[in-house]
Amino acid sequence: MEAQPAFIPPCIPTQVDKPPEGDAWAHEIKYDGYRTQIHLIGRKAHGYTRNGHDWSTKYGPVLVAARETVRCDAIIDGEMVVQDETGRSDFKKLATAIRWENASLVFYAFDLLWVDGSDLRKLRCDERRSRLEILMGAPRPDLPIQFSQSFAGAGFEFFAAVERMNLEGIVSKRKASIYRGGPSKDWLKTKAYMTGEFVVIGYERKRGEAPSLLLAEEINAKLRYVGRAIPAIPPNQRDELWQALEFLHTGGFATPIGSGNNGAVPVQPILKVMAKHLRGEEKLRHATVTQVLIPR
């Protein structure tokens, strides 16, 4: 029997454009929340962030439920989320829920790393998950700790179903893989895209680089900078866009944009665009402008 470690660096999935195929993989829903590691030892339960910070006081109700559900010492890997009225995880509400409404938090457990003095990281992924499911017992929807179910069929079919449900994406795990901390190609994440409406607050055109627009999101009549997007529109529309932006050039940014945008040109926040971007990100990632909305 070995002493239970204080924290285990988590396995980080590699992002890919499409899920892997074949019987060697199992697929799970990618929950839009905070990666969390729960440690159960004796009567105590602790919750750690992805970087090993102890957030036990923030996760109180979940940790109580975890201690009551799993009746042994264990280290469980999973995702802490808050859900909307349809049951989908809602990242934007998570920080507020942790601070003020932690009774609304739900932990989705997807891996078992340690149990009763035994290190399970050298076991196959599917065996670790099977042992975790047994430990957690029969599903109880009323509890704030749930087992993350997997799908063993075709990855593209599962991903298509997840996209139709407007979920963030999926994580595909090699069934025979052991658990290693850090970036891993045995765990692959495929993220869904979504399209939203944004306000253009600036632009940047550098020689040798793709031109980009600085976009903001309008919330309660205020603008919040959300990131950059590359125009992916026909050439004639692109020329009209740059002409309009040069006309709207202003003296400075009215919206805070953070560091790294010192070379951008600010514009009056009048022009709106539709942009396609990865779902479930606080800032825009892999974003492209698909349509310019003409002011009327």
Side-chain angles (χ1 to χ4, degrees), residues 21-286:
E21 299 299 334
D23 296 336
W25 299 85
H27 315 279
E28 302 170 46
I29 291 173
K30 185 184 185 305
Y31 296 99
D32 195 6
Y34 290 166
R35 187 70 174 272
T36 301
Q37 196 173 104
I38 289 182
H39 288 231
L40 306 173
I41 183 166
R43 297 182 178 179
K44 297 181 179 180
H46 294 275
Y48 296 93
T49 69
R50 169 175 166 164
N51 296 318
H53 300 297
D54 190 337
W55 278 21
S56 301
T57 56
K58 303 175 188 290
Y59 293 154
V62 172
L63 297 179
V64 170
R67 180 67 287 178
E68 293 176 351
T69 301
V70 179
R71 302 301 181 89
C72 61
D73 291 351
I75 297 178
I76 302 171
D77 191 7
E79 193 88 359
M80 194 73 71
V81 305
V82 64
Q83 296 171 310
D84 63 17
E85 59 278 1
T86 67
R88 290 192 292 259
S89 52
D90 189 335
F91 186 81
K92 292 183 179 179
K93 294 181 179 179
L94 183 56
T96 300
I98 289 174
R99 186 172 183 181
W100 303 109
E101 304 170 4
N102 60 8
S104 66
L105 297 174
V106 178
F107 177 75
Y108 276 92
F110 50 65
D111 214 324
L112 182 63
L113 312 184
W114 197 279
V115 64
D116 282 339
S118 297
D119 188 347
L120 305 186
R121 287 174 288 177
K122 297 296 183 182
L123 298 182
R124 292 170 53 103
C125 180
D126 54 0
E127 183 175 342
R128 297 194 310 270
R129 284 180 46 78
S130 178
R131 293 181 64 164
L132 174 61
E133 187 173 18
I134 292 171
L135 278 182
M136 293 185 65
R140 286 186 52 187
D142 59 306
L143 289 180
I145 177 170
Q146 299 290 323
F147 179 71
S148 175
Q149 298 289 340
S150 63
F151 175 82
F156 74 91
E157 291 182 356
F158 185 58
F159 182 67
V162 164
E163 279 195 303
R164 289 194 296 271
M165 292 187 288
N166 292 324
L167 300 177
E168 183 188 1
I170 70 173
V171 176
S172 306
K173 299 175 182 176
R174 196 184 301 275
K175 297 177 185 178
S177 63
I178 64 174
Y179 191 98
R180 293 188 180 94
S184 172
K185 292 187 177 179
D186 289 321
W187 288 22
L188 304 176
K189 62 180 178 181
T190 311
K191 301 192 71 173
Y193 280 84
M194 64 181 295
T195 300
E197 182 179 303
F198 302 95
V199 179
V200 182
I201 62 171
Y203 66 91
E204 187 166 22
R205 303 175 78 176
K206 290 183 178 179
R207 179 174 296 181
E209 297 183 12
S212 60
L213 305 182
L214 276 65
L215 304 182
E217 185 179 38
E218 190 170 359
I219 303 175
N220 297 326
K222 293 184 178 180
L223 294 177
R224 181 180 72 89
Y225 173 68
V226 292
R228 294 169 172 260
I230 296 173
I233 53 180
N236 61 323
Q237 294 182 24
R238 201 176 305 150
D239 292 341
E240 292 177 359
L241 170 64
W242 295 125
Q243 291 175 12
L245 292 175
E246 289 172 359
F247 177 77
L248 293 172
H249 172 56
T250 184
F253 287 104
T255 302
I257 60 171
S259 60
N261 293 305
N262 296 333
V265 178
V267 300
Q268 298 177 49
I270 295 174
L271 196 63
K272 294 185 178 182
V273 297
M274 299 298 294
K276 180 181 177 183
H277 58 96
L278 285 176
R279 189 186 303 276
E281 299 283 348
E282 189 172 3
K283 296 287 186 180
L284 298 184
R285 290 192 60 200
H286 299 286

